[in-house]
Amino acid sequence: MYILGIIFALSVSIILHQLLKKNYKSHLIMEIPTYKIPILKNVLITLWINLKSFIINAGKIILLINILIWVLGSFGPSENSSKDSIFIIQKKELTHSYLGILGKKMEPVIHPLGYDWKIGIGLLSSLVAREVFVSTMASVYSIEKKENILKENMKKEIYPETKKSVYNLATGISLLFFYAFSMQCMSTLSIVRKETKSWKWPILQFVFMTLLAYIASLLTYQILKK
């Protein structure tokens, strides 16, 4: 996946370099530090600082997303609600919950990629941070199956119409390709917005990379499923 990402990043950079003409000269000066043998203590300290930062910063986001997923997956609109009480909610099964309703709405768009609506919920939640995808899938399946064995639950997942397994080699590779090319991190877009001082490039980046991920995943799934 890293090699694939590097190849496509360089390819897109070459294309954009030819298309985006600039009317000024660019001079890049970078001082390369002298090479020194790493000190184990410094490596461990740096590792601990980054690990602690990830657990604290990403952990809060993951916890918040899981709570939101549980609420949306456990409750849905009341069948007795009227125009005057549209906000009445009641405990529902996953397919009839707010989460299920949202997933079913987006399933026709992602079905050609080999994804069902549950995977779609994972993709949607990972817009905040792609690390959230795994915890979201665990939450979704634990709500429905009342079990915490994610791997076993995913093995049993089938399409009701065809009775075929949802998770197979084609779906797995398609999902890897999607995450290799997609822009699934809002913090990166916010940094681009800050550096460019414009919403133009973040929006173009998000749209372009999402379309690239969709097309790559579509072709991958359609080829491998045969």
Side-chain angles (χ1 to χ4, degrees), residues 13-38:
S13 298
I14 293 173
I15 295 173
L16 292 179
H17 178 69
Q18 298 298 323
L19 295 177
L20 302 176
K21 302 297 182 180
K22 54 183 181 293
N23 54 7
Y24 61 89
K25 293 183 178 180
S26 176
H27 301 282
L28 175 63
I29 300 177
M30 181 181 295
E31 182 180 358
I32 306 298
T34 57
Y35 176 78
K36 296 180 181 179
I37 298 176

Side-chain angles (χ1 to χ4, degrees), residues 114-131:
Y115 311 154
D116 66 349
W117 65 271
K118 295 176 185 176
I119 299 179
I121 293 298
L123 293 177
L124 191 62
S125 66
S126 62
L127 286 173
V128 179
R130 60 179 60 200
E131 295 88 352

Side-chain angles (χ1 to χ4, degrees), residues 36-203:
K36 296 180 181 179
I37 298 176
I39 301 175
L40 180 60
K41 180 180 179 181
N42 292 344
V43 173
L44 293 177
I45 291 176
T46 303
L47 177 63
W48 168 247
I49 291 175
N50 292 327
L51 180 62
K52 182 180 178 181
S53 175
F54 176 81
I55 292 175
I56 294 176
N57 297 326
K60 291 186 292 187
I61 297 176
I62 293 174
L63 178 61
L64 179 62
I65 293 296
N66 282 339
I67 294 175
L68 183 61
I69 291 296
W70 178 84
V71 172
L72 294 178
S74 299
F75 298 93
S78 174
E79 297 176 356
N80 298 323
S81 60
S82 60
K83 295 182 180 180
D84 299 328
S85 58
I86 58 175
F87 296 105
I88 295 179
I89 60 175
Q90 64 183 34
K91 194 168 181 62
K92 293 277 189 177
E93 294 182 357
L94 180 61
T95 53
H96 300 291
S97 65
Y98 290 114
L99 196 65
I101 295 172
L102 177 61
K104 292 292 185 181
K105 292 291 185 181
M106 63 184 299
E107 187 174 41
V109 179
I110 60 175
H111 184 71
L113 308 184
Y115 311 154
D116 66 349
W117 65 271
K118 295 176 185 176
I119 299 179
I121 293 298
L123 293 177
L124 191 62
S125 66
S126 62
L127 286 173
V128 179
R130 60 179 60 200
E131 295 88 352
V132 177
F133 178 82
V134 176
S135 61
T136 298
M137 298 305 294
S139 298
V140 168
Y141 279 98
S142 64
I143 292 173
E144 183 182 41
K145 304 293 184 179
K146 306 303 179 183
E147 300 174 3
N148 294 322
I149 308 176
L150 178 59
K151 185 177 180 179
E152 295 300 322
N153 291 337
M154 293 172 71
K155 284 182 178 180
K156 300 175 183 177
E157 193 71 13
I158 61 173
Y159 288 109
E161 302 85 5
T162 61
K163 305 299 180 182
K164 293 183 178 180
S165 176
V166 174
Y167 299 95
N168 49 50
L169 178 63
T171 300
I173 300 299
S174 172
L175 195 57
L176 287 176
F177 268 71
F178 187 89
Y179 275 111
F181 298 127
S182 66
M183 173 52 65
Q184 294 291 108
C185 187
M186 293 295 103
S187 59
T188 303
L189 291 177
S190 66
I191 292 175
V192 175
R193 163 66 178 85
K194 181 179 179 181
E195 293 295 328
T196 61
K197 296 179 176 57
S198 170
W199 282 108
K200 173 185 175 181
W201 292 110
I203 293 174

